[in-house]
Protein backbone atom coordinates (compact mmCIF):
# COMPACT_ATOMS: atom_id res chain seq x y z
CA UNK A 1 0.00 0.00 0.00
CA UNK A 2 1.10 3.59 -0.30
CA UNK A 3 0.79 6.77 -2.27
CA UNK A 4 1.79 5.19 -5.61
CA UNK A 5 -0.63 2.28 -5.40
CA UNK A 6 -3.36 3.74 -7.62
CA UNK A 7 -0.92 4.68 -10.38
CA UNK A 8 0.80 1.29 -10.17
CA UNK A 9 -2.53 -0.50 -10.50
CA UNK A 10 -3.42 1.57 -13.56
CA UNK A 11 -0.06 0.88 -15.21
CA UNK A 12 -0.09 -2.83 -14.39
CA UNK A 13 -3.59 -3.20 -15.80
CA UNK A 14 -2.17 -2.11 -19.17
CA UNK A 15 -0.17 -5.38 -19.21
CA UNK A 16 -2.02 -7.87 -17.06
CA UNK A 17 -4.72 -8.31 -14.49
CA UNK A 18 -2.80 -11.12 -12.80
CA UNK A 19 -1.62 -9.24 -9.71
CA UNK A 20 -2.77 -8.45 -6.20
CA UNK A 21 -1.97 -5.51 -3.98
CA UNK A 22 -2.34 -6.99 -0.52
CA UNK A 23 -2.11 -3.82 1.53
CA UNK A 24 -0.35 -3.86 4.87
CA UNK A 25 0.13 -7.32 6.37
CA UNK A 26 1.49 -8.24 9.80
CA UNK A 27 2.17 -11.24 11.98
CA UNK A 28 1.04 -14.68 10.86
CA UNK A 29 -0.61 -13.32 7.73
CA UNK A 30 2.67 -11.73 6.63
CA UNK A 31 4.61 -14.91 7.46
CA UNK A 32 2.20 -16.93 5.31
CA UNK A 33 2.77 -14.61 2.37
CA UNK A 34 6.54 -14.95 2.64
CA UNK A 35 6.22 -18.73 3.00
CA UNK A 36 4.12 -19.01 -0.15
CA UNK A 37 6.56 -17.01 -2.32
CA UNK A 38 9.33 -18.35 -4.54
CA UNK A 39 11.52 -15.27 -4.32
CA UNK A 40 11.47 -11.71 -3.04
CA UNK A 41 11.79 -8.89 -5.57
CA UNK A 42 12.62 -5.60 -3.88
CA UNK A 43 12.77 -2.69 -6.35
CA UNK A 44 13.79 0.12 -3.99
CA UNK A 45 16.86 2.04 -5.15
CA UNK A 46 17.20 4.06 -1.95
CA UNK A 47 16.70 1.63 0.93
CA UNK A 48 18.85 2.35 3.97
CA UNK A 49 18.29 -0.87 5.93
CA UNK A 50 15.75 -3.15 4.32
CA UNK A 51 13.84 -4.79 7.15
CA UNK A 52 11.56 -6.49 4.61
CA UNK A 53 14.63 -7.88 2.84
CA UNK A 54 15.81 -9.44 6.10
CA UNK A 55 12.32 -10.80 6.79
CA UNK A 56 12.23 -12.40 3.33
CA UNK A 57 15.66 -13.90 3.85
CA UNK A 58 14.59 -15.29 7.23
CA UNK A 59 11.76 -16.99 5.36
CA UNK A 60 14.28 -18.67 3.07
CA UNK A 61 13.63 -16.50 0.04
CA UNK A 62 16.33 -15.43 -2.39
CA UNK A 63 16.26 -11.66 -2.85
CA UNK A 64 16.46 -9.71 -6.07
CA UNK A 65 17.24 -6.10 -5.33
CA UNK A 66 19.21 -3.14 -6.52
CA UNK A 67 22.82 -2.81 -5.49
CA UNK A 68 22.03 -0.02 -3.05
CA UNK A 69 23.48 0.40 0.45
CA UNK A 70 20.72 -1.20 2.55
CA UNK A 71 20.21 -4.19 0.28
CA UNK A 72 23.93 -4.67 -0.36
CA UNK A 73 24.51 -4.94 3.39
CA UNK A 74 22.16 -7.92 3.59
CA UNK A 75 22.28 -9.80 0.27
CA UNK A 76 25.37 -11.59 -0.97
CA UNK A 77 25.25 -11.28 -4.74
CA UNK A 78 25.00 -14.65 -6.51
CA UNK A 79 24.89 -16.46 -3.15
CA UNK A 80 21.69 -15.38 -1.40
CA UNK A 81 20.18 -13.41 -4.23
CA UNK A 82 20.97 -11.08 -7.09
CA UNK A 83 22.04 -7.45 -6.80
CA UNK A 84 21.04 -5.54 -9.92
CA UNK A 85 22.69 -2.48 -11.37
CA UNK A 86 20.79 0.61 -10.27
CA UNK A 87 21.21 2.38 -13.61
CA UNK A 88 20.91 -0.36 -16.23
CA UNK A 89 17.63 -1.96 -15.20
CA UNK A 90 18.47 -5.65 -15.24
CA UNK A 91 15.87 -6.23 -12.52
CA UNK A 92 13.31 -8.06 -14.71
CA UNK A 93 16.02 -10.23 -16.25
CA UNK A 94 17.16 -11.29 -12.79
CA UNK A 95 13.60 -12.27 -11.83
CA UNK A 96 13.19 -14.31 -15.03
CA UNK A 97 16.58 -15.96 -14.52
CA UNK A 98 15.73 -17.15 -11.03
CA UNK A 99 12.18 -18.23 -11.82
CA UNK A 100 13.58 -20.43 -14.57
CA UNK A 101 16.16 -22.06 -12.28
CA UNK A 102 14.49 -23.79 -9.31
CA UNK A 103 17.80 -25.27 -8.12
CA UNK A 104 19.28 -21.78 -7.91
CA UNK A 105 16.20 -20.52 -6.07
CA UNK A 106 16.67 -23.33 -3.54
CA UNK A 107 20.39 -22.70 -3.12
CA UNK A 108 20.04 -18.92 -2.80
CA UNK A 109 17.11 -19.37 -0.41
CA UNK A 110 19.10 -21.63 1.90
CA UNK A 111 21.99 -19.17 1.97
CA UNK A 112 19.58 -16.27 2.58
CA UNK A 113 18.14 -18.10 5.59
CA UNK A 114 21.62 -18.80 6.98
CA UNK A 115 22.67 -15.17 6.60
CA UNK A 116 19.49 -13.91 8.25
CA UNK A 117 20.18 -16.01 11.32
CA UNK A 118 23.48 -14.17 11.75
CA UNK A 119 21.57 -10.90 12.13
CA UNK A 120 19.94 -9.73 15.31
CA UNK A 121 19.06 -6.35 16.71
CA UNK A 122 21.66 -6.90 19.43
CA UNK A 123 24.44 -7.52 16.88
CA UNK A 124 23.34 -4.56 14.78
CA UNK A 125 23.24 -2.23 17.79
CA UNK A 126 26.57 -3.55 19.09
CA UNK A 127 28.13 -2.76 15.71
CA UNK A 128 26.61 0.70 15.77
CA UNK A 129 28.09 1.35 19.23
CA UNK A 130 31.51 0.26 17.95
CA UNK A 131 31.27 2.69 15.02
CA UNK A 132 30.11 5.54 17.27
CA UNK A 133 32.98 4.83 19.67
CA UNK A 134 35.47 5.09 16.80
CA UNK A 135 33.98 8.43 15.76
CA UNK A 136 34.08 9.80 19.30
CA UNK A 137 37.76 8.81 19.69
CA UNK A 138 38.64 10.59 16.44
CA UNK A 139 36.98 13.82 17.59
CA UNK A 140 38.17 13.87 21.20
Amino acid sequence: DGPAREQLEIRLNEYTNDFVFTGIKKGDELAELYASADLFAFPSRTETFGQVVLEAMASGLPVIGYDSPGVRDLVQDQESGILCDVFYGDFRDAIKKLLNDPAQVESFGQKARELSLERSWQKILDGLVVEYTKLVKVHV
Side-chain angles (χ1 to χ4, degrees):
D1 221 349
R5 179 178 176 160
E6 184 178 344
Q7 278 303 111
L8 288 170
E9 287 178 322
I10 291 168
R11 289 184 66 195
L12 279 171
N13 272 315
E14 294 173 7
Y15 302 100
T16 182
N17 62 0
D18 189 20
F19 65 89
V20 174
F21 281 83
T22 64
I24 296 171
K25 300 296 178 193
K26 297 178 183 178
D28 290 341
E29 195 173 17
L30 177 60
E32 285 180 32
L33 289 171
Y34 280 127
S36 66
D38 295 316
L39 55 85
F40 187 72
F42 187 64
S44 174
R45 290 183 164 109
T46 58
E47 188 61 44
T48 57
F49 176 69
Q51 181 67 29
V52 294
V53 170
L54 191 55
E55 290 170 352
M57 292 172 66
S59 298
L61 296 176
V63 174
I64 298 170
Y66 285 106
D67 189 7
S68 60
V71 178
R72 183 184 319 118
D73 290 343
L74 299 169
V75 176
Q76 290 182 354
D77 189 36
Q78 303 302 318
E79 292 185 35
S80 62
I82 299 174
L83 295 176
C84 301
D85 189 288
V86 172
F87 299 105
Y88 294 105
D90 52 357
F91 197 82
R92 283 184 288 179
D93 293 338
I95 293 170
K96 288 177 189 176
K97 176 185 174 187
L98 268 186
L99 288 177
N100 288 317
D101 191 347
Q104 194 74 70
V105 168
E106 178 71 22
S107 172
F108 283 5
Q110 287 176 357
K111 183 66 174 181
R113 173 81 175 139
E114 290 171 18
L115 290 171
S116 76
L117 294 174
E118 296 172 8
R119 298 282 180 151
S120 70
W121 281 114
Q122 189 61 51
K123 286 182 181 180
I124 291 167
L125 293 174
D126 288 348
L128 185 60
V129 168
V130 167
E131 295 304 316
Y132 282 161
T133 302
K134 289 178 190 176
L135 289 171
V136 168
K137 287 180 181 178
V138 169
H139 290 83
V140 172

